[in-house]
Amino acid sequence: MRIDVFSAKEYDRAFFEAENRGAGHELRFLALRLGPDTVSLAEGADAVCVFVNDRVDQTVIDGLASRGVRLIALRCAGFNNVDLSAAAEMGVAVCRVPAYSPQAVAEHTVAMILTLNRKIHRAWARVREGNFELEGLLGFNLHGKTVGIVGTGQIGATLAGLLLGFGCRVLAFDPAPNAELEARGVVFCRNLDELLGASDVVSLQCPLTPETHHFIDECAVAAMKPGAMLINTSRGAVIDTRAVIKGLKDGQVGGLGIDVYEEEDDLFFEDLSNRIIPDDVFARLLTFPNVLVTGHQAFFTKEALTEIARTTIANVTAFERDGAPLHAVTAPAG
Ligand code: NAI
């Protein structure tokens, strides 16, 4: 099958070409994002392969279907950027990579917690300037602290294991509590507020859905333990950034670590260092000493990229052979 890989970087090419050797699909790498202005580039493709910030809305799906594209293969776990109902209506199949490396994201989450807590980002900059002053670098022991995990799927459960290893008390909130985690000592809260009120660190590992959109809003910030740290390595819009900025300004939020941002599709994955950042909300975030931003890199390990390429190629091969990908994503009933 011909697969047009949108938003392709050099690392995508390297890992996909390696995994495609045995499969023999025709890969076409396009640096541009998929969207209404670029959908015409998929003319002649059987499948498109897209990433987190490609926009696969109704217009794009209509454009793909009219050009004969039969499969949208997401090379990520989240699928909030695809209009699944429109895809179903147009008979275009959608698939994803449900779990490529929960360790990659969970370990990056721990890296963010430790960096913010021990101020490694500030220490690094200071030492380079010959400043060995410790004032302002005071942290706390993670051992014995309470960490609340929102969403205990693949990544949340892996994160819980890592934090138990640090000697943390781990709380969780998930509509589908995980009995195995409970047996390991993780305490499931009855609601989000209970978790927020008791946690020194809150980490978001739930998908972006209509329910979790702006899950952390002004009320949720107020429900947090004063001075608690907030980490988001799930999807940007789970946080209402303006509400969290307000919390940072008055000290209610003691630190913020984000790998994702609600308006990230205008920023992330590109080198904008010679340009002016037009997003004032994002620019404000960068002024806080207790805010750490990474540009959606939590997934970015060799193991994860290998697994992403392998599963995506396997999805396309299964679709070609059986008419259905291995990991289909379908619109919820109704
Ligand atoms: P998963 O599907 O295994 O787990 C998600 C969990 O969230 C499930 O247990 C589900 O019951 C729970 N959940 C759903 N609605 C909830 C709610 N309202 N409140 C609390 N929990 C809720 O997904 P996985 O693999 O753990 O990934 C989680 C999210 O992480 C993905 O949806 C994706 O958005 C994000 N992600 C971010 C990456 C990054 O590079 N920053 C990489 C991979 C995933």
Side-chain angles (χ1 to χ4, degrees), residues 11-30:
Y11 46 81
D12 293 311
R13 179 188 287 272
F15 283 88
F16 270 80
E17 282 181 344
E19 289 302 324
N20 188 44
R21 254 168 227 142
H25 297 295
E26 183 193 342
L27 297 175
R28 226 174 132 239
F29 295 94
L30 298 104

Side-chain angles (χ1 to χ4, degrees), residues 100 105 151 153-155 174-175 205 207 212 233-235 259 296 299:
Y100 43 87
V105 183
Q154 311 264 2
I155 296 169
D174 194 307
Q205 320 301 154
T212 63
T233 54
S234 63
R235 284 290 181 268
D259 184 53
H296 209 135
F299 75 99

Side-chain angles (χ1 to χ4, degrees), residues 9 20 51 62 71 76 92 96 109 117-118 149 160 164 183 190-191 215 219 247 276 300 317:
K9 302 284 185 190
N20 188 44
F51 197 47
D62 288 349
L71 177 67
C76 54
V92 180
R96 65 174 180 141
T109 305
N117 172 26
R118 303 308 296 269
I149 301 177
L164 288 170
R190 280 162 302 171
N191 53 54
F215 224 19
C219 292
I276 305 295
F300 200 55
T317 301

Side-chain angles (χ1 to χ4, degrees), residues 175-186:
N178 177 327
E180 199 189 313
L181 284 182
E182 272 180 312
R184 291 169 66 191
V186 174

Side-chain angles (χ1 to χ4, degrees), residues 93-167:
V94 182
C95 62
R96 65 174 180 141
V97 184
Y100 43 87
S101 177
Q103 291 82 9
V105 183
E107 289 174 15
H108 189 80
T109 305
V110 172
M112 294 197 101
I113 296 172
L114 290 174
T115 302
L116 267 178
N117 172 26
R118 303 308 296 269
K119 299 15 180 208
I120 304 297
H121 54 307
R122 302 189 65 200
W124 182 83
R126 275 190 197 185
V127 168
R128 281 167 62 94
E129 294 294 321
N131 176 359
F132 304 101
E133 172 71 72
L134 295 185
E135 197 65 54
L137 301 185
L138 190 66
F140 54 80
N141 283 7
L142 203 48
H143 180 93
K145 294 296 178 299
T146 301
V147 183
I149 301 177
V150 181
T152 49
Q154 311 264 2
I155 296 169
T158 306
L159 177 64
L162 298 178
L163 293 167
L164 288 170
F166 274 92

